[in-house]
Amino acid sequence: MKEKKFSLRLDQSLYDQIAAQAKAESRSVNNFIVRLLQENSQKESLESRQFVGQIIKGSEILTDSALVSVNGIYYRYSLSNVDTVDSSASYVISDANGNILTLTQLT
């Protein structure tokens, strides 16, 4: 991979924070910034952008087929903080990975 060099201006206090975090991870400041940029430039899926944070009623989760309908599309699901679906509870979509949504029961 060809590298591109460029100047970056940072406020001294921001630089100091970044340098401290880089040191804590045994990285150079440059390597730390590159890693942050790589992690934060990953494209999110449509499901992540559109569904994460959406509330689902437990009664809308199809436990017999292990599917949940979100905006008219059926997705597989996994539960993050409980073992079984409570039809009287509400759930938030806390993650979306491909066609699998992670549901977290709200208390």
Side-chain angles (χ1 to χ4, degrees):
M1 172 173 71
K2 186 176 179 181
E3 293 184 352
K4 172 69 177 171
K5 294 181 182 183
F6 68 97
S7 296
L8 178 64
R9 291 185 182 96
L10 298 175
D11 178 83
Q12 185 64 48
S13 64
L14 176 58
Y15 179 85
D16 293 343
Q17 291 174 18
I18 291 170
Q21 292 175 354
K23 183 177 180 181
E25 293 185 16
S26 299
R27 295 177 179 269
S28 69
V29 170
N30 183 77
N31 181 269
F32 183 79
I33 291 172
V34 168
R35 183 183 59 79
L36 286 177
L37 290 171
Q38 287 172 334
E39 287 176 359
N40 289 297
S41 66
Q42 302 297 321
K43 293 183 180 180
E44 290 184 281
S45 68
L46 168 71
E47 289 80 7
S48 291
R49 290 190 312 271
Q50 297 290 324
F51 300 155
V52 171
Q54 190 169 333
I55 305 296
I56 305 292
K57 294 178 184 176
S59 59
E60 296 174 350
I61 300 171
L62 308 174
T63 56
D64 55 332
S65 60
L67 297 173
V68 60
S69 176
V70 181
N71 296 350
I73 302 171
Y74 286 94
Y75 292 89
R76 293 175 31 210
Y77 67 87
S78 65
L79 301 172
S80 69
N81 62 343
V82 293
D83 294 327
T84 59
V85 173
D86 177 353
S87 62
S88 64
S90 292
Y91 297 81
V92 64
I93 301 173
S94 55
D95 190 27
N97 187 1
N99 67 340
I100 302 173
L101 304 179
T102 302
L103 306 179
T104 303
Q105 183 176 331
L106 299 174
T107 55

